[in-house]
Amino acid sequence: MKRSEDIEITLRGHEALVLFDWLVSLSLQGHENEPDAATQKLLWQVEGTLEKHLVEVVDPAYKALLEEAKIKLLAS
């Protein structure tokens, strides 16, 4: 079976915010299992795409918005 070349993933706003924050924290911390170059490039691309769409990342209330997003995600 041949897979499709393009795969689209739809995230709700609160899901995207939580994912973005995790990707940023992952890229800022050093860890034992560093991803290979291709995986790291993909993670940066996903992070950049999310950052372009999330107005919350420049909001002074980012931490509070992130916490609200996490609560909403857990409640869904």
Side-chain angles (χ1 to χ4, degrees):
M1 179 156 82
K2 185 178 181 201
R3 70 172 168 80
S4 171
E5 282 301 313
D6 293 332
I7 297 173
E8 188 172 317
I9 298 173
T10 302
L11 297 171
R12 300 179 81 102
H14 63 281
E15 295 167 333
L17 184 57
V18 172
L19 177 59
F20 171 78
D21 188 72
W22 178 74
L23 288 171
V24 169
S25 69
L26 186 65
S27 67
L28 292 177
Q29 66 182 347
H31 46 83
E32 293 178 16
N33 298 322
E34 288 288 326
D36 60 52
T39 303
Q40 185 62 62
K41 182 176 180 176
L42 175 61
L43 291 172
W44 285 333
Q45 288 173 337
V46 171
E47 182 183 328
T49 299
L50 290 170
E51 187 174 23
K52 282 191 253 181
H53 290 86
L54 292 168
V55 297
E56 294 91 341
V57 300
V58 294
D59 193 307
Y62 175 78
K63 294 275 190 199
L65 295 170
L66 177 61
E67 288 308 310
E68 288 174 23
K70 288 180 178 183
I71 291 168
K72 191 172 185 178
L73 181 61
L74 290 172
S76 62

